[in-house]
Amino acid sequence: MTFYKTYGLKAGNPQRYYKPILFFLWVIVETALTWHYGVVTYLEADKYISQAQYFIQHGTLSTNNYWLYSTEVFLIVTAIKLHLNFAAIAVLQLLLNLFSTWMFYKLAQSLLKNEMLAFLAVVIFIINIPYQVYNSFLFTESIFYSLTVIYSSYLLRLQKLNLKNIFVLILLIVLMSVTRPTGILFFGSTALYISFCFLNKASLLTKILVASGAIIIFIGTLNILLGAGGSLDFMLPFKKENIICGVNTNSNVEINTIEKGNSVQGILYYIINNKEQFIRLAKLKTISFFGLIRSYYSTFHNVFLVIFFYPFYILSLIGFWKMFKRKNQQVIYLLTIIALYWITTMLTCDDWHNRFVLTVTPFIFLIAFSAFTNQKASLKNEKI
């Protein structure tokens, strides 16, 4: 009754209708997008289809870097082997997105402790068209976006760590990391969150050992991913001064690098020895990352992006402050993964269609809706 009195609602007012309404909204949005775009097998999808055909012929992928995008490749391989239409993959991706929407709802309920706010957060999640549009595309984002939400919901609602939970977390991180290489960033956020949330009563030695192990694993894995080869060249965006990936703003800039530029050492060497260029490009990439607007978008598209996303940036500042005051440990994870994506963009380049920042928009929404919460008590995690 307290909730209804607070918001001027009558007892029995239909929280029970929230889920059917959300499902109906999801069906409308996904049906409209799929009807408009169909199953997209061109643009970026073409290279994954080509890799699938290459794998069927040779039993391996053409270059090592494609193993970091192999989830989508092997879905296509499976469809070809079973003589299925690519629409079957789109259906699978839509079902995974539906499950991620449910998980996002559960996370919003846990985090916001308010049914109406959780409902509204999911509404925004569903009508985030730039994010939802990839569900019928044979792009890696189609799977990756859903996995990141499922993983984050699972982690942030855990009450305790045990072998089963650790196994599920590791399995999902590995799956995310072979769907898109940036999946490894979630390991960094997870390690920090676990240190604060689950190891607060552990001895100093235990914390040091766990932190050291996590850092070694993270840097080691990152080094392997950076050196995957193929088309990945992490110095190229600095040589060509790419703000948007593949768009050269300078033909060929002289920079100080080492032979193994595709490594953590190589990136650190570049930053230390090219400070002025790095800072200038980092500023421009930050504007591109959070700004969202593009010169090649229509005016209507850019206005839509500003109206839809910018208010949530402002609200997220208020939401962060409220979560910080309530000592909500989940904010550590949410802020860290947003920061890691931002830093990664500064160290590489931004995507043509904002796909990097779109990955973290669900987490920005959650922090933003926390601006409307008024609970003083710290939130409790829920078990799935």
Side-chain angles (χ1 to χ4, degrees), residues 74-192:
F74 287 121
L75 280 176
I76 297 170
V77 168
T78 303
I80 294 173
K81 286 283 191 179
L82 296 177
H83 304 288
L84 298 174
N85 190 286
F86 287 149
I89 298 176
V91 170
L92 177 63
Q93 291 172 173
L94 283 164
L95 290 175
L96 189 62
N97 177 264
L98 179 60
F99 181 58
S100 74
T101 303
W102 167 255
M103 293 292 280
F104 185 78
Y105 186 32
K106 300 298 288 184
L107 178 58
Q109 287 176 312
S110 174
L111 195 67
L112 301 173
K113 291 297 182 185
N114 181 305
E115 286 294 329
M116 181 176 287
L117 289 180
F119 169 77
L120 293 174
V122 182
V123 168
I124 295 299
F125 176 80
I126 293 172
I127 65 172
N128 183 1
I129 303 302
Y131 179 95
Q132 297 290 349
V133 73
Y134 292 103
N135 291 321
S136 65
F137 289 39
L138 300 193
F139 286 20
T140 52
E141 283 79 12
S142 312
I143 298 290
F144 187 69
Y145 285 169
S146 296
L147 289 177
T148 60
V149 171
I150 293 167
Y151 173 84
S152 301
S153 177
Y154 184 88
L155 172 66
L156 295 180
R157 293 166 55 228
L158 288 177
Q159 292 179 325
K160 62 181 180 180
L161 277 182
N162 53 39
L163 289 177
K164 175 193 169 184
N165 294 334
I166 293 171
F167 174 78
V168 172
L169 293 174
I170 292 174
L171 182 65
L172 287 173
I173 284 181
V174 170
L175 183 57
M176 287 191 295
S177 299
V178 295
T179 302
R180 288 195 64 81
T182 50
I184 191 60
L185 299 178
F186 286 83
F187 177 83
S189 299
T190 300
L192 187 63

Side-chain angles (χ1 to χ4, degrees), residues 240-305:
K240 305 291 185 179
E241 297 204 335
N242 296 159
I243 307 303
I244 304 297
C245 296
V247 180
N248 302 335
T249 58
N250 243 320
S251 57
N252 198 6
V253 181
E254 293 280 339
I255 59 174
N256 295 319
T257 62
I258 59 175
E259 184 177 350
K260 293 183 177 180
N262 282 5
S263 64
V264 174
Q265 181 187 1
I267 292 174
L268 290 175
Y269 182 91
Y270 161 78
I271 294 172
I272 293 170
N273 291 277
N274 303 270
K275 294 187 189 73
E276 185 177 336
Q277 187 208 38
F278 173 73
I279 292 171
R280 176 170 57 84
L281 293 179
K283 177 183 176 181
L284 293 173
K285 292 172 187 177
T286 297
I287 294 171
S288 174
F289 181 77
F290 288 109
L292 293 159
I293 61 176
R294 300 284 190 264
S295 60
Y296 41 83
Y297 285 166
S298 68
T299 301
F300 174 80
H301 193 167
N302 281 326
V303 169
F304 164 77
L305 292 174

Side-chain angles (χ1 to χ4, degrees), residues 193 236 321 351:
Y193 173 68
L236 187 62
W321 179 244
D351 179 70

Side-chain angles (χ1 to χ4, degrees), residues 29-63:
V29 170
E30 299 303 335
T31 300
L33 289 174
T34 304
W35 177 81
H36 181 73
Y37 290 101
V39 178
V40 175
T41 58
Y42 48 91
L43 298 175
E44 190 172 316
D46 183 61
K47 65 183 180 182
Y48 302 125
I49 295 171
S50 298
Q51 284 301 308
Q53 293 168 338
Y54 186 94
F55 182 85
I56 291 171
Q57 293 173 9
H58 301 90
T60 188
L61 300 178
S62 62
T63 55

